[in-house]
Amino acid sequence: MSMTEQPRSETTWTNPLAAWGTATGNAEAPTIPVPDPRSVWRANTTFKVPTHPVGRLKYFIIWGNHGARTWNRLRYWPTRRNLLAIKGLYNRKTAVAEKRILDRKPIYWVLSLLLLLIAPALFPQAQMNALLTAGATFGIFAAINVCWTLIIGTASIFSLATYAVVGTAAFITSLLSVKYGVPWYAMPPIGAAIGLVFGLLIALPALRLDGFYYALLTLGLNELFRVFFTTSKQFGAASGGLYGADSFISQSWAPHTQSVVAYYTSFALLIAALFVFRFINGKRLGRVLRMAPEKHEAFAAAAGVDYKRARITIFLLTSVALGFIGGFYAAQYRGVAYSIFDFQTVLLGLAMITIGGIGRAEGAVFGTLVVIFLRDVLLEWGPWRYLIIGGLMLGAVLFLNNGYFGIRKQFNAWRAKKRGEWRSTRTEKGGEALPEEATEIDDKDTLYFRRYDKMQRDYLKGLISPEIIEEHRRQPLGQHSEALERVLLYFRRAKMEDKYALHAASPNGPYKIIAFSGVRGVSPRLVDDREYSTLDEGYHAVFVRRVHDLMES
């Protein structure tokens, strides 16, 4: 029977005992149309709001154990994190030891880095040079952004002087190489020392300034250094940059060989930056700052965490790494141009870490890959490339919590919210127990009985009509119609607590309505002072009161 079915058309109830001649009452009784009781069940088990299956269940990679050991405790050196976060467990059905991978992120990292490693062999020959050049740029900028996301994400220091550190180290090391003959292998370490000095200078204001004001200060420092180097003759003011430094890429090599070497050395720099990120974010400094996120510093200080010292330490370490990258940049490109300080470069760097997700190494790498591919590979798209980059950045800011790499986490949170809403809708249909109350009831049979009782009351409310009330007034006792009999059967099996009865002042009346307490030793209470001269009047008064309670429930 469908939800739109009509009530049954029979209007006469037949006593089933009449066929054997054992019926004590009348054999037949007229009745109102009685709907099928199953219709109430369907109405209560059907969602009131449209629902759609969203996503899929979370799956894990599971395989058998190796001998007597459930798993090997391999760890990331020098951190304490287990490799792949493998958990040993026993299958409840087969009672066999199994291993489950809880963290599949290292697998994705290995596959992605392996793809970058073999990418030159997959590049089309027509775009080989452009892709290798863009790949070398991607490796350097990805390493810079991995360090930058440590400053903004892990340390929560809103510094915009990242490219000022890189550019200063690159210009000074280039000058030392051009004028004093410093070899290429000494340029990155010298750049690291310059980065440390630069980090000490700009770390001091971080103790007094925070957030937007510190960002303005560092942006001003970036512009100040840009003006200084572009107006200084010894740093190549007339030529647009400083070139002629020593390099590990020989000019006697073929152009293709130079591009391949530049690509793989930039890839090695990216691997080193990822190692620095893991070394800082995965060890004590990163764990300390997870206790002191933005706007929760007071809690961290009360817990004995020196979060300011941890932030400055991370800032200095990343400044050293950025200075190293600046020296490497000068050694690879035989110098540096003033564009490293441009405001456009800073904005593109912000777009890179915003698109991927601040505070995540994979977000910094992914954002850099997207921006560099749009800017340096799709040259035929013209200025539309920058509009696309701006659109991606705007979409990440407006609709995503933490970049495009945070979509999965945000989607899971949204799906959990929708599941909670659907559960609350289903609980509302179930009736008498709120979700928070249901968790506190140990006997779950109580919940099922409440739900069944509510559905039965919903069904009986549809049977209450003036016809059955008039029928009960004419004949309170004896055989009744099907609709009235269903209502009376429900009233008869009610709990003793607050159940109505008649109290006779004398053997022949008058009668008053009382309600039982349901507790042994506690007397019934008088419902009202109205008196009824006959039993039939009293029975009907009790019936009307029960009908009123049913309709109000």
Side-chain angles (χ1 to χ4, degrees):
M1 185 183 296
S2 65
M3 291 298 299
T4 59
E5 62 184 345
Q6 299 296 325
R8 292 182 293 176
S9 60
E10 293 86 350
T11 58
T12 302
W13 179 84
T14 303
N15 193 336
L17 299 179
W20 289 274
T22 58
T24 56
N26 49 335
E28 294 182 346
T31 181
I32 62 173
V34 179
D36 193 330
R38 293 176 295 179
S39 61
V40 178
W41 172 266
R42 295 190 183 99
N44 280 270
T45 54
T46 303
F47 285 106
K48 298 179 182 178
V49 295
T51 59
H52 309 279
V54 180
R56 55 171 174 75
L57 296 176
K58 186 178 180 64
Y59 66 92
F60 297 93
I61 301 176
I62 300 177
W63 69 92
N65 66 310
H66 299 287
R69 292 183 300 175
T70 307
W71 75 93
N72 296 322
R73 293 184 177 273
L74 299 178
R75 302 182 185 274
Y76 290 108
W77 184 88
T79 67
R80 295 185 178 182
R81 293 186 58 184
N82 290 334
L83 184 64
L84 298 179
I86 297 176
K87 179 182 179 181
L89 70 159
Y90 285 91
N91 191 306
R92 294 183 177 181
K93 293 184 178 180
T94 61
V96 176
E98 296 176 342
K99 294 190 298 185
R100 173 183 296 176
I101 297 179
L102 301 181
D103 185 10
R104 298 186 293 272
K105 194 181 299 183
I107 299 177
Y108 301 147
W109 269 114
V110 170
L111 294 178
S112 301
L113 294 177
L114 182 62
L115 180 61
L116 290 176
L117 186 64
I118 64 174
L122 306 177
F123 290 159
Q125 193 65 33
Q127 296 180 327
M128 178 66 68
N129 187 49
L131 291 175
L132 287 176
T133 303
T137 307
F138 157 74
I140 294 178
F141 275 85
I144 295 173
N145 292 326
V146 166
C147 296
W148 196 4
T149 197
L150 269 175
I151 299 174
I152 296 182
T154 304
S156 298
I157 298 177
F158 295 92
S159 172
L160 299 179
T162 299
Y163 287 92
V165 178
V166 176
T168 302
F171 268 102
I172 294 178
T173 54
S174 297
L175 180 65
L176 294 177
S177 180
V178 171
K179 285 194 173 185
Y180 302 102
V182 175
W184 66 265
Y185 52 81
M187 295 170 65
I190 295 176
I194 296 171
L196 177 60
V197 175
F198 198 102
L200 287 173
L201 291 177
I202 62 177
L204 295 177
L207 298 174
R208 302 295 301 272
L209 298 177
D210 195 9
F212 177 74
Y213 298 101
Y214 188 76
L216 285 179
L217 174 65
T218 52
L219 184 61
L221 289 175
N222 184 86
E223 185 66 15
L224 179 65
F225 277 84
R226 184 190 69 83
V227 173
F228 171 77
F229 283 107
T230 53
T231 57
S232 178
K233 294 182 179 180
Q234 60 181 348
F235 287 104
S239 58
L242 184 60
Y243 294 96
D246 189 26
S247 176
F248 53 84
I249 300 178
S250 176
Q251 293 182 339
S252 60
W253 296 346
H256 177 73
T257 304
Q258 295 184 29
S259 300
V260 170
V261 173
Y263 177 89
Y264 281 108
T265 52
S266 300
F267 177 77
L269 181 67
L270 174 59
I271 297 296
L274 292 173
F275 176 80
V276 171
F277 182 90
R278 177 57 59 195
F279 181 80
I280 295 177
N281 192 66
K283 287 185 70 66
R284 184 177 181 275
L285 282 175
R287 293 196 297 269
V288 162
L289 290 177
R290 291 189 191 98
M291 290 186 62
E294 186 181 4
K295 299 180 182 179
H296 291 80
E297 291 88 351
F299 168 77
V305 175
D306 191 356
Y307 64 93
K308 290 186 177 180
R309 180 179 179 181
R311 286 179 176 176
I312 297 302
T313 303
I314 290 181
F315 190 84
L316 294 178
L317 291 176
T318 51
S319 296
V320 171
L322 290 172
F324 184 92
I325 295 173
F328 178 89
Y329 184 95
Q332 175 164 307
Y333 292 103
R334 298 184 179 88
V336 60
Y338 297 132
S339 60
I340 195 70
F341 292 111
D342 284 349
F343 188 65
Q344 176 187 354
T345 305
V346 177
L347 289 181
L348 285 178
L350 277 175
M352 293 173 188
I353 61 176
T354 302
I355 289 174
I358 297 176
R360 306 165 64 99
E362 59 270 25
V365 175
F366 173 76
T368 307
L369 180 63
V370 171
V371 173
I372 293 299
F373 181 79
L374 289 172
R375 191 192 69 172
D376 296 351
V377 178
L378 302 180
L379 298 176
E380 64 275 7
W381 288 21
W384 290 101
R385 298 170 296 161
Y386 296 99
L387 289 180
I388 295 175
I389 294 173
L392 292 175
M393 185 177 179
L394 187 63
V397 172
L398 292 179
F399 304 108
L400 303 178
N401 293 336
N402 194 14
Y404 290 93
F405 255 95
I407 290 179
R408 181 185 177 188
K409 184 178 180 181
Q410 186 174 347
F411 172 76
N412 290 336
W414 174 81
R415 183 173 60 180
K417 176 184 175 182
K418 290 299 180 182
R419 285 175 176 174
E421 293 177 357
W422 298 339
R423 279 196 298 268
S424 64
T425 305
R426 188 164 59 249
T427 305
E428 180 188 358
K429 294 195 305 293
E432 298 289 320
L434 296 175
E436 57 271 16
E437 181 186 4
T439 58
E440 299 175 357
I441 298 177
D442 295 331
D443 187 5
K444 302 306 177 185
D445 288 340
T446 304
L447 299 177
Y448 283 98
F449 176 77
R450 289 186 182 183
R451 184 177 187 184
Y452 171 77
D453 186 66
K454 178 184 180 296
M455 288 189 291
Q456 192 171 23
R457 284 186 280 109
D458 291 342
Y459 173 72
L460 294 177
K461 288 178 183 178
L463 300 183
I464 301 299
S465 64
E467 289 81 3
I468 68 169
I469 294 178
E470 178 62 22
E471 179 185 356
H472 187 274
R473 189 193 63 79
R474 293 195 309 265
Q475 185 183 1
L477 302 177
Q479 188 62 55
H480 302 102
S481 64
E482 179 181 359
L484 180 58
E485 193 67 26
R486 286 179 179 273
V487 175
L488 291 175
L489 286 175
Y490 176 78
F491 290 158
R492 289 166 187 161
R493 68 172 182 83
K495 293 182 179 180
M496 190 59 65
E497 180 182 0
D498 288 333
K499 190 172 186 179
Y500 297 121
L502 291 178
H503 177 263
S506 64
N508 296 322
Y511 303 96
K512 294 183 179 181
I513 300 177
I514 60 174
F516 293 110
S517 64
V519 180
R520 184 183 296 274
V522 179
S523 302
R525 60 180 177 84
L526 186 65
V527 176
D528 56 31
D529 294 332
R530 282 181 291 182
E531 296 182 349
Y532 305 95
S533 57
T534 63
L535 276 175
D536 287 350
E537 291 181 2
Y539 288 150
H540 185 65
V542 171
F543 173 77
V544 172
R545 182 169 290 276
R546 288 173 176 171
V547 168
H548 178 269
D549 293 344
L550 173 64
M551 301 303 292
E552 293 295 327
S553 63

